[in-house]
Amino acid sequence: MTRISVYDTAMKEKRVFTPADPRRITIYVCGPTVYSRAHIGNFRPEVTFDVLRRLLTHVYGKGVVVSARNYTDIDDKIMARADAEGRTIEQVTAQSEGWYEADARALGCALPTFAPRATETIAEMIAMMETLIAGGHAYAAEGHVLFDVAADTDYGAISHRDLEQMIAGSRVEVAPYKKNAHDFVMWKPSADHQPGWASPWGRGRPGWHLECSAMIAKHLGETIDIHGGGQDLIFPHHENEAAQSRCAHKGAPLARYWMHNGFLSFGKDKMSKSEGNIVTVDALLAAGHRGETVRMAMLTAHYRQPLEWNDDLLKQAKSTLDRWYRVIEGAAGDVDGDAVDEGVVDAIANDLGTPAAMARLSELASAGDIAGLRASAGLLGLLQDDPAAWRAGEGDRGDIDARVAQRNAAKAAKDWAAADRIRDELAAEGIILEDGPQGTIWRRA
């Protein structure tokens, strides 16, 4: 069997991956707070861990990987946007979720096994807090529930910083109801005009860190194989997740491996909504780029390294894909098959070494190993389109799927004008939509 190794943030080293149960490999990746459209930097973990899922499926078999990626659908930013636009929270989150899934599909990412929402996991969060309070790891104060960091002797095991360093490097809310400044909120009270749920500590809503711990336990189990996300989540989010879950589950670790991807940036600056320097997937598609080109560009750098986003990156990705598709289109006979090249597998199995895998794909193209090229590229989610359609520029199914999902999101948000506009634009391109009880399907006229 192929030996897979991944860099474990908690252990600060590359480790051979051995699942607890090779028949059920569990992965959790932190998802978006659904208050607006996600930018392409938000999709780097989506693409990174989609490649990991493809690799694990190739090595261990179909149906083995069980994954979850959450939606934080209750948050102050969501509430603020709903108030500002005169919409309900549900309308805001439904639209943003629809955008996210449309963009993920456009990038060739399979949807996870579970996509839980915070608002659907309130009962599990309350139960976890009750367990933590009973065990002396949390306390209630003035309608809040807080985690007592001093009660967890392993706090800091993920980020490898002592407590004072972590406090100095983060925004710590100092409040009179805290025992210590570094204790973090798991539950907070809601005003009458704010959404809230009944709890033993009064009507309120959950803190961000608690949500993921409860969702993981509910859908995947107390200890999962791999927990993933962006490197900005290492502290405080993942540190706090690990502490809550460990203390709630009698010392059982939350994850056996922790993986984190690097940032996408514009020049020296991290891509960030707060900085206003973002690019969205739908904007790239509207500019004429294909989802596969964007995916290819995101995979050209190793996932743990920073990646500077620019037009040259996209041009190079498209040029490479054009060349590979020309090689496939010019081949005689059957170009499909399952002849996955071991060199490509080994590159990806070495801590998701996508640059090395792409170099090997270029060698296969040059050598005329067309079946190997196409089958192996599938591990990266590439070269899955029809070559003639790629050349003609008419076969980007991911783009069509993404726009259909955008229309569905607009309908969920009761934005009928946007839904009709998308339908009419597709119709003008010869794409007919058919709405039915199982959802929307499309066909060419």
Side-chain angles (χ1 to χ4, degrees):
M1 179 176 287
T2 300
R3 171 176 161 146
I4 298 174
S5 62
V6 298
Y7 185 85
D8 183 353
T9 304
M11 298 298 290
K12 298 180 71 174
E13 65 181 10
K14 194 156 59 176
R15 299 172 55 206
V16 173
F17 173 72
T18 306
D21 181 356
R23 298 165 301 178
R24 185 178 187 269
I25 301 173
T26 48
I27 303 175
Y28 183 89
V29 180
C30 287
T33 299
V34 282
Y35 71 95
S36 65
R37 187 142 211 157
H39 58 74
I40 54 170
N42 300 135
F43 285 97
R44 195 173 191 192
E46 194 80 29
V47 172
T48 294
F49 292 99
D50 184 70
V51 171
L52 177 61
R53 178 192 59 79
R54 290 169 184 268
L55 173 67
L56 292 171
T57 299
H58 173 74
V59 173
Y60 289 94
K62 293 182 179 180
V64 165
V65 178
V66 181
S67 61
R69 188 252 300 124
N70 71 299
Y71 287 120
T72 295
D73 62 343
I74 180 64
D75 178 87
D76 289 351
K77 292 179 181 178
I78 299 171
M79 293 157 53
R81 184 178 175 204
D83 287 343
E85 298 180 358
R87 296 199 290 164
T88 66
I89 285 175
E90 290 76 16
Q91 288 173 327
V92 170
T93 58
Q95 182 182 51
S96 296
E97 286 181 26
W99 284 338
Y100 191 89
E101 293 192 0
D103 291 347
R105 287 192 182 96
L107 296 178
C109 298
L111 296 182
T113 313
F114 302 104
R117 300 177 178 88
T119 57
E120 299 171 342
T121 322
I122 300 295
E124 289 79 8
M125 295 184 211
I126 290 174
M128 182 171 281
M129 287 185 285
E130 290 177 325
T131 298
L132 289 168
I133 291 173
H137 297 287
Y139 58 93
E142 299 183 21
H144 297 75
V145 176
L146 299 104
F147 186 86
D148 187 352
V149 170
D152 178 21
T153 57
D154 290 328
Y155 194 83
I158 306 297
S159 53
H160 300 284
R161 292 181 289 179
D162 64 41
L163 195 56
E164 294 305 318
Q165 287 179 317
M166 287 187 279
I167 294 171
S170 65
R171 298 177 180 178
V172 176
E173 178 188 2
V174 178
Y177 49 78
K178 288 187 176 184
K179 288 184 179 179
N180 300 289
H182 46 269
D183 295 347
F184 59 87
V185 173
M186 294 189 289
W187 186 262
K188 54 188 173 183
S190 292
D192 292 342
H193 69 283
Q194 295 175 323
W197 290 263
S199 81
W201 315 284
R203 183 175 174 276
R205 59 191 190 277
W208 176 38
H209 311 303
L210 179 65
E211 298 171 5
C212 290
S213 289
M215 293 178 193
I216 289 171
K218 178 179 181 179
H219 295 284
L220 300 179
E222 292 184 358
T223 299
I224 61 175
D225 287 307
I226 296 171
H227 195 313
Q231 65 182 36
D232 55 325
L233 300 181
I234 297 173
F235 183 84
H237 187 49
H238 287 172
E239 194 71 69
N240 291 351
E241 275 188 56
Q244 292 165 162
S245 296
R246 180 171 54 241
C247 293
H249 300 142
K250 299 179 180 179
L254 174 57
R256 302 173 63 247
Y257 299 82
W258 291 83
M259 296 177 65
H260 295 91
N261 61 271
F263 295 134
L264 259 67
S265 65
F266 276 134
K268 297 180 180 179
D269 298 322
K270 169 193 168 186
M271 196 174 291
S272 168
K273 292 178 185 176
S274 62
E275 296 295 329
N277 61 343
I278 63 171
V279 174
T280 60
V281 173
D282 70 312
L284 290 169
L285 296 177
H289 300 290
R290 303 190 192 201
E292 187 172 348
T293 302
V294 178
R295 181 186 180 98
M296 174 84 167
M298 295 179 76
L299 293 174
T300 54
H302 190 270
Y303 79 97
R304 288 194 286 116
Q305 299 302 315
L307 175 61
E308 183 176 346
W309 195 260
N310 53 54
D311 289 340
D312 287 342
L313 183 69
L314 285 166
K315 290 177 182 177
Q316 182 58 51
K318 182 179 183 301
S319 176
T320 300
L321 286 170
D322 285 344
R323 179 168 60 86
W324 289 350
Y325 270 115
R326 284 197 301 270
V327 170
I328 295 173
E329 187 177 13
D334 186 9
V335 299
D336 294 320
D338 57 1
V340 177
D341 179 75
E342 286 305 310
V344 175
V345 175
D346 289 345
I348 304 173
N350 183 13
D351 194 30
L352 304 186
T354 56
M358 289 180 179
R360 178 58 183 160
L361 289 174
S362 288
E363 292 177 358
L364 294 176
S366 298
D369 185 353
I370 308 306
L373 171 64
R374 191 156 201 179
S376 304
L379 291 178
L380 298 179
L382 302 173
L383 299 187
Q384 302 304 291
D385 207 347
D386 177 72
W390 174 270
R391 173 175 49 80
E394 64 184 20
D396 193 347
R397 297 179 181 84
D399 175 42
I400 298 172
D401 288 340
R403 291 156 72 189
V404 171
Q406 289 168 7
R407 176 174 175 266
N408 291 339
K411 290 171 62 180
K414 301 187 186 307
D415 188 351
W416 309 117
D420 290 344
R421 175 181 54 77
I422 295 169
R423 179 201 60 204
D424 293 344
E425 289 174 352
L426 288 170
E429 297 171 20
I431 305 300
I432 306 301
L433 303 185
E434 297 178 353
D435 296 319
Q438 303 302 317
T440 302
I441 59 173
W442 61 268
R443 59 180 176 82
R444 298 190 183 277

